[in-house]
């Protein structure tokens, strides 16, 4: 039985207000002590010609308690409802026990497809911490939408096309050494790419050579294509290794190159619709009405660019997936780029362009340092991951934690800690990472939540043999127990708002608060002590059991794995 629904119905019956008015008015009071749900009487003031506090007083007398509601209390202009704790706890726990893996899920997305594009590093350019931010947010959103029953496709829009390939080919022909490169492809390619830039500062003719190579590549030259595909393949092997470390998967690695033969059509459509105008030799879509610089479609030398490829990609996705939403998780510096090409698409009359959503995020700094991508002085993703894992291993050793497999635990905790930190604030906020907060086992952190889970699992191991199904909750209604179950009950709401706002942060806050409530519960309510009577013991074990399940599910939505002991 839904407590909220029950209360809404009671209010409707009594006040004869319209359902939507009541539904929208009912709210959760700011403080748990004020009750579980509140009804502000303000919408009634006009109808009843009385002050809200007077109405609240009158209504409270007319509303009788029942087996779901313990009391109804007027407070100012509000009516505060207190649920029957025992009933609320036993129903919620019973529901979770029935199918723990389904708790917090729904099927509202059935038959609908959501595309989630994220990570999307650029070959030969640094795979940096900004790409990790995108990976954390995108991977989490993909899991959140799946939780709501959507068919989700995770896309990696690799930066595998563009003038940088001309530069890379030029660099490779001059300084490339296959053997050296294959030992460490990403860093070695980056190295010669950076060297190209340094050299080109003194020898600008190198730039011409690079442009020539890219032109040849675009024209399908065999040697160029072979080199391009070689660079792509060896980089992809590396990326996939990193994704495996992160526990992240993609359904498609179609990058920019995939759309290189699909751009003529875009140019034709835009031209046919009369949207292309010439500007300084280039073909552009004018966006002055929208207060934006024009969206360049063809450069003056006839070459297509980033935006053209993005329009081709969107059109391809629309035709291939007929998506409900096409989400791009890309940093805020590209905000204008997305507004531009999406507006150009709307001008072309593609209604579904409204379902293409840029999900931006802030800048990342590390230890107060701004990250610059120039000349390679950038914090590289894999270095950060390795360092996190190493530091975690040290902490585990120092704490003498009893983990089963220290390598496995260090990876899960080290990586989880980083994902957690990225998703700890709303995504538009700039973040400044530092190891003290990332790996603070006691503060709000990934390890803190993982520890809560492991703690619960260890209690359950010690209770092996005790059957706590269908427990009696009449004595386990303390504030801590009740608050814990209220948190458990809120899982779906957190998932829903996280999806509505494309904000994994809501899940992060949810699981953090749930873990805190769990800590409070087991610190104040003994579970396996000798003087705890059997019924209470069983009821508390049931609480521990469902809580560990929900912490695990919620962490999974953030991309964080759990460990059984810590
Ligand atoms: N490769 C780009 C970068 O690293 C991100 C790709 C964004 N996605 C897109 N469809 N434009 O900056």
């Amino acid at each position: 039985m839904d407590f909220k629904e029950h209360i809404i119905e009671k209010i409707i019956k009594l006040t004869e207000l319209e359902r939507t008015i009541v539904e929208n008015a009912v709210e959760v009071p700011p403080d748990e002590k004020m009750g579980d749900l509140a009804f502000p009487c303000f919408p009634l003031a006009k109808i009843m010609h009385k002050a809200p506090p007077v109405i609240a007083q009158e209504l409270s007398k007319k509303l009788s308690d029942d087996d779901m509601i313990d009391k109804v209390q007027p407070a100012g202009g509000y009516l505060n409802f207190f649920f029957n704790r025992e009933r609320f706890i036993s129903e919620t726990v019973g529901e979770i026990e029935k199918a723990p893996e389904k708790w917090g899920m729904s099927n509202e997305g059935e038959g609908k497809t959501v595309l989630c594009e994220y990570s999307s590093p650029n070959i030969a350019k640094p795979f940096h911490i900004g790409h990790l931010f995108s990976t954390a947010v995108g991977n989490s959103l993909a899991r959140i939408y799946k939780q709501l029953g959507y068919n989700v496709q995770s896309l990696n829009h690799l930066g595998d096309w563009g003038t940088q390939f001309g530069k890379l080919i030029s660099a490779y022909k001059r300084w490339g050494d296959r053997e050296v490169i294959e030992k460490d492809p990403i860093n070695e390619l980056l190295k010669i790419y950076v060297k190209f830039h340094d050299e080109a500062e003194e020898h600008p003719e190198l730039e011409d050579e690079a442009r020539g190579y890219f032109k040849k590549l675009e024209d399908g030259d065999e040697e160029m294509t072979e080199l391009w595909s070689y660079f792509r393949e060896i980089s992809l092997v590396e990326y996939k290794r990193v994704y495996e470390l992160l526990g992240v998967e993609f359904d498609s690695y179609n990058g920019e190159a995939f759309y290189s033969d699909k751009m003529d059509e875009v140019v034709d459509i835009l031209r046919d619709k009369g949207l292309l105008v010439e500007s300084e030799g280039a073909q552009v879509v004018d966006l002055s009405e929208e207060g934006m610089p024009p969206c360049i479609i063809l450069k003056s030398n006839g070459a297509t660019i980033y935006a053209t490829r993005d329009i081709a990609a969107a059109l391809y996705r629309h035709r291939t997936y007929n998506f409900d939403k096409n989400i791009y998780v890309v940093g805020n510096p590209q905000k204008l780029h997305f507004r531009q090409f999406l507006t150009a698409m709307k001008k072309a009359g593609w209604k579904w362009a409204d379902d293409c959503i840029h999900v931006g995020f802030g800048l990342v700094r590390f230890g107060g340092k701004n990250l610059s991508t120039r000349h390679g002085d950038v914090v590289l993703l894999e270095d950060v991951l390795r360092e996190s894992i190493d530091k975690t291993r040290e902490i585990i050793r120092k704490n003498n934690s009893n983990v089963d497999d220290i390598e496995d635990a260090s990876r899960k905790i080290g990586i989880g800690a980083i994902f957690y930190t990225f998703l700890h604030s709303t995504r538009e906020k700039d973040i400044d990472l530092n190891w003290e907060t990332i790996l603070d086992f006691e503060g709000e952190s990934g390890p803190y939540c993982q520890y809560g889970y492991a703690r619960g699992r260890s209690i359950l191991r010690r209770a092996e043999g005790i059957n706590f199904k269908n427990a009696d909750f009449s004595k386990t209604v303390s504030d801590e127990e009740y608050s814990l179950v209220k948190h458990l009950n809120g899982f779906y709401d957190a998932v829903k708002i996280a999806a509505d706002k494309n904000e994994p942060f809501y899940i992060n806050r949810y699981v953090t608060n749930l873990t805190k409530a769990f800590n409070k519960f087991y610190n104040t309510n003994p579970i396996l002590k000798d003087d705890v009577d059997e019924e209470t013991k069983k009821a508390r074990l049931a609480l521990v059991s469902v809580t560990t399940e929900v912490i695990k599910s919620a962490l999974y939505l953030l991309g964080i794995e759990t460990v059984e002991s810590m």
Side-chain angles (χ1 to χ4, degrees):
M1 183 62 190
D2 186 339
F3 281 74
K4 185 173 179 181
E5 186 53 36
H6 176 70
I7 287 171
I8 289 174
E9 257 162 33
K10 265 177 110 85
I11 298 172
I12 294 175
K13 227 185 235 154
L14 189 69
T15 61
E16 290 175 356
L17 280 171
E18 258 176 61
R19 168 168 276 273
T20 46
I21 297 180
V22 180
E23 267 176 5
N24 292 336
V26 168
E27 61 185 37
V28 178
D31 182 352
E32 279 184 359
K33 287 191 195 74
M34 294 160 75
D36 300 303
L37 277 181
F39 176 68
C41 298
F42 307 96
L44 286 168
K46 262 205 199 116
I47 307 170
M48 296 171 67
H49 303 291
K50 283 180 196 162
V54 180
I55 302 174
Q57 278 288 348
E58 287 181 9
L59 289 182
S60 75
K61 283 190 197 114
K62 287 192 202 147
L63 278 165
S64 51
D65 311 338
D66 55 34
D67 57 352
M68 287 178 81
I69 294 163
D70 266 358
K71 61 178 178 193
V72 187
Q73 229 174 34
Y78 292 84
L79 265 181
N80 290 335
F81 293 84
F82 293 78
F83 299 166
N84 177 303
R85 290 187 173 190
E86 182 193 342
R87 182 150 174 192
F88 182 81
I89 293 175
S90 68
E91 284 188 11
T92 306
V93 174
E95 273 300 307
I96 304 175
E97 279 177 341
K98 253 193 268 163
E101 68 292 345
K102 293 220 175 93
W103 187 248
M105 282 194 169
S106 87
N107 55 7
E108 62 203 73
E110 222 174 79
K112 294 182 188 159
T113 297
V114 170
L115 305 182
C116 204
E117 184 211 289
Y118 55 94
S119 203
S120 311
N122 303 315
I123 290 171
K125 290 190 191 167
F127 191 160
H128 57 74
I129 199 105
H131 292 115
L132 183 57
F133 202 161
S134 163
T135 311
V137 173
N139 177 53
S140 176
L141 287 180
R143 291 179 181 198
I144 288 167
Y145 278 102
K146 276 186 195 155
Q147 175 95 353
L148 295 176
Y150 289 88
N151 164 33
V152 177
Q153 294 290 310
S154 295
L155 312 178
N156 195 323
H157 190 75
L158 281 184
D160 58 1
W161 203 247
T163 43
Q164 86 249 33
F165 277 89
K167 295 176 186 174
L168 191 59
I169 290 170
S170 165
Y172 181 77
K173 281 171 163 278
R174 277 159 205 280
W175 314 292
D177 178 337
R178 240 174 217 252
E179 228 173 275
V180 178
I181 290 179
E182 272 161 31
K183 280 201 191 103
D184 186 7
I186 294 192
N187 290 322
E188 286 303 323
L189 289 184
L190 178 59
K191 226 187 246 171
I192 59 171
Y193 182 72
V194 169
K195 187 172 163 115
F196 177 92
H197 277 267
D198 291 343
E199 296 277 322
E201 264 170 34
E202 307 213 337
H203 308 283
E205 64 280 7
L206 281 179
E207 300 276 2
D208 295 329
E209 178 181 290
R211 258 191 295 275
Y213 284 149
F214 181 57
K215 179 85 181 85
K216 277 171 100 178
L217 177 62
E218 284 205 299
D219 294 341
D221 177 273
E222 202 173 312
E223 186 201 357
M224 298 298 134
T225 309
E226 212 166 273
L227 282 172
W228 166 81
S229 111
Y230 169 64
F231 297 145
R232 187 180 191 276
E233 282 316 308
I234 55 173
S235 303
L236 203 52
V237 170
E238 294 293 289
Y239 293 153
K240 285 187 177 165
R241 197 170 42 74
V242 174
Y243 293 134
E244 196 175 308
L245 190 65
L246 291 170
V248 168
E249 282 173 8
F250 292 95
D251 300 295
S252 162
Y253 284 92
N254 285 343
E256 294 182 43
F258 181 78
Y259 303 101
S260 59
D261 64 355
K262 297 175 179 56
M263 292 190 287
D264 289 347
E265 188 194 355
V266 169
V267 176
D268 288 345
I269 295 176
L270 295 177
R271 187 172 286 131
D272 286 352
K273 298 202 185 236
L275 288 171
L276 284 192
V277 293
E278 197 183 309
S279 162
E280 294 164 32
Q283 296 289 315
V284 308
V285 175
D286 178 63
L287 299 174
S288 51
E289 256 175 42
E290 289 79 8
M292 277 181 266
C295 180
I296 303 173
I297 301 295
L298 288 175
K299 289 203 282 197
S300 48
N301 65 358
T304 58
I305 61 166
Y306 193 43
T308 331
R309 289 193 277 281
D310 257 321
I311 298 178
L315 185 57
Y316 173 85
R317 289 177 191 177
H318 168 66
R319 288 173 179 160
T320 310
Y321 302 102
N322 189 23
F323 55 74
D324 233 63
K325 280 186 195 172
N326 173 25
I327 292 172
Y328 300 87
V329 185
V330 183
N332 278 340
Q334 294 192 35
K335 206 174 213 151
L336 179 61
H337 162 72
F338 280 94
R339 280 181 57 218
Q340 284 175 304
F341 85 80
L342 293 174
T343 308
M345 280 165 41
K346 273 177 222 172
K347 281 180 119 82
W350 293 334
K351 286 236 162 25
W352 49 268
D354 286 326
D355 306 321
C356 297
I357 306 156
H358 172 222
V359 169
F361 54 83
L363 295 174
V364 193
R365 304 187 320 155
F366 210 106
K369 267 191 278 185
N370 264 317
L371 303 179
S372 118
T373 51
R374 293 184 72 103
H375 303 297
D377 55 342
V378 32
V379 180
L380 289 173
L381 173 111
E382 209 174 349
D383 297 346
V384 173
L385 300 182
R386 294 282 166 209
E387 193 167 348
S388 190
I389 295 171
D390 290 344
K391 285 191 185 302
T392 304
R393 194 183 303 106
E394 270 167 46
I395 296 174
I396 293 178
R397 288 219 174 100
K398 210 175 73 211
N399 291 356
N400 267 327
S401 312
N402 61 346
V403 296
D404 302 327
D405 173 346
I406 189 161
E407 279 320 305
D408 181 63
S410 310
R411 184 187 67 82
K412 287 177 177 165
I413 299 167
I415 301 280
I418 292 190
F419 274 163
Y420 180 97
T421 311
F422 275 116
L423 307 175
H424 188 53
S425 339
T426 49
R427 57 187 157 70
E428 304 263 347
K429 226 166 143 185
D430 294 347
I431 50 178
D432 193 350
L433 302 176
N434 63 72
W435 291 118
E436 288 70 41
T437 15
I438 296 175
L439 291 173
D440 178 2
F441 280 47
E442 268 126 57
E444 295 192 353
S445 69
Y448 171 80
C449 298
Q450 285 165 319
Y451 182 75
Y453 172 83
R455 185 73 195 269
R457 295 293 296 167
S458 120
I459 295 171
L460 294 172
R461 275 194 301 276
R462 276 187 284 137
E464 220 177 88
I466 304 178
N467 178 5
F468 47 78
K469 287 272 144 67
N470 300 317
D472 173 349
F473 291 96
S474 50
K475 280 183 277 180
T476 45
V477 291
S478 69
D479 285 350
E480 298 81 25
E481 286 156 328
Y482 185 52
S483 164
L484 174 62
V485 177
K486 280 183 69 171
H487 279 94
L488 292 170
N489 193 61
F491 188 26
Y492 170 75
D493 290 344
V495 177
K496 182 77 181 120
I497 188 166
D500 284 350
K501 298 194 183 292
N502 292 313
E503 270 290 11
F505 146 79
Y506 287 102
I507 304 289
N508 185 303
R509 194 174 62 181
Y510 171 74
V511 72
T512 306
N513 288 338
L514 171 62
T515 310
K516 281 186 189 170
F518 183 49
N519 267 342
K520 220 172 176 181
F521 153 74
Y522 69 62
N523 284 329
T524 38
N525 297 274
I527 301 170
L528 294 173
K529 291 238 170 70
D530 290 341
D531 54 356
V532 180
D533 67 83
E534 278 312 297
E535 264 327 309
T536 305
K537 189 179 284 176
K538 283 183 188 172
R540 288 186 182 150
L541 282 171
L543 288 179
V544 173
S545 171
V546 291
T547 304
T548 53
E549 301 274 4
V550 179
I551 293 180
K552 186 178 181 143
S553 303
L555 286 177
Y556 172 81
L557 294 182
L558 299 175
I560 303 173
E561 293 179 68
T562 46
V563 288
E564 291 302 304
S565 49
M566 231 172 122

